[in-house]
Amino acid sequence: MSKPPSGTKILEDGLRYKSKVSGSPFKTAAYPGAATMSCFLCGKHRPRAELKNRNLMGKSQAVCAPKCDPK
């Protein structure tokens, strides 16, 4: 029998976890084209189809298309 999942607890030094919930807040995509990425400018996760590549600081970065929402 396994233990029930416990909440995340940080030690007094603030650097280590006693226990941590496993997994990711982002769901696994059913197919590769449905994967999400974060916008380089606003940081929101969106499906790759809603992002476009722009040349920022000499590198190609994924940003919201046509522009980032102010929300």
Side-chain angles (χ1 to χ4, degrees):
M1 294 174 55
S2 63
K3 296 180 185 177
S6 61
T8 302
K9 295 180 183 177
I10 301 175
L11 296 176
E12 292 177 11
D13 62 6
L15 298 176
R16 303 274 181 198
Y17 290 101
K18 284 186 179 178
S19 65
K20 184 177 176 185
V21 177
S22 64
S24 171
F26 305 105
K27 300 202 186 267
T28 305
Y31 55 93
T36 62
M37 285 184 65
S38 61
C39 172
F40 183 78
L41 298 176
C42 69
K44 292 183 181 178
H45 274 256
R46 301 187 183 277
R48 293 185 67 119
E50 294 180 13
L51 298 172
K52 67 177 180 179
N53 287 326
R54 281 184 40 194
N55 191 10
L56 299 170
M57 297 185 285
K59 294 180 95 176
S60 180
Q61 303 289 349
V63 296
C64 295
K67 63 180 182 176
C68 298
D69 290 333
K71 295 178 185 178

